[in-house]
Amino acid sequence: MKTVNIHEAKTNLSRLVERVSKGESVVIAKAGKPMVKLVPLDEAERRVAKRIGFMDGEIQVPDDFDTMGADVILDMFEGRS
């Protein structure tokens, strides 16, 4: 991943956009401190879409999930443990 300072980014914006559109990421820094990251638009959209349902079919939640262990918890609150 390439890092450029703000002045270089302003001077070479068209070139940076071209590189990023081909899949490369670029970090823009101010006084050596990274400030922003340029990524291809489709990459950013893909990354967000991947998270939704990423565990689909991997795990199962029991139907009684919200009541599991209720009797044990009730005993603890009532001092019957």
Side-chain angles (χ1 to χ4, degrees), residues 5-76:
N5 64 40
I6 289 179
H7 177 72
E8 183 181 350
K10 288 193 295 187
T11 304
N12 298 305
L13 182 60
S14 295
R15 290 185 196 134
L16 291 175
V17 169
E18 188 64 31
R19 291 175 74 160
V20 169
S21 70
K22 293 179 181 176
E24 186 177 340
S25 297
V26 176
V27 173
I28 299 177
K30 181 177 182 180
K33 180 182 173 190
M35 300 295 286
V36 296
K37 181 178 178 183
L38 299 176
V39 295
L41 187 57
D42 61 340
E43 178 182 324
E45 291 171 354
R46 241 186 329 209
R47 196 175 306 146
V48 172
K50 278 181 161 179
R51 299 295 304 162
I52 297 172
F54 75 102
M55 293 290 292
D56 189 31
E58 299 285 323
I59 59 172
Q60 290 186 348
V61 178
D63 292 334
D64 64 342
F65 175 77
D66 56 343
T67 59
M68 288 174 50
D71 53 341
V72 175
I73 295 170
L74 185 60
D75 287 345
M76 290 171 56

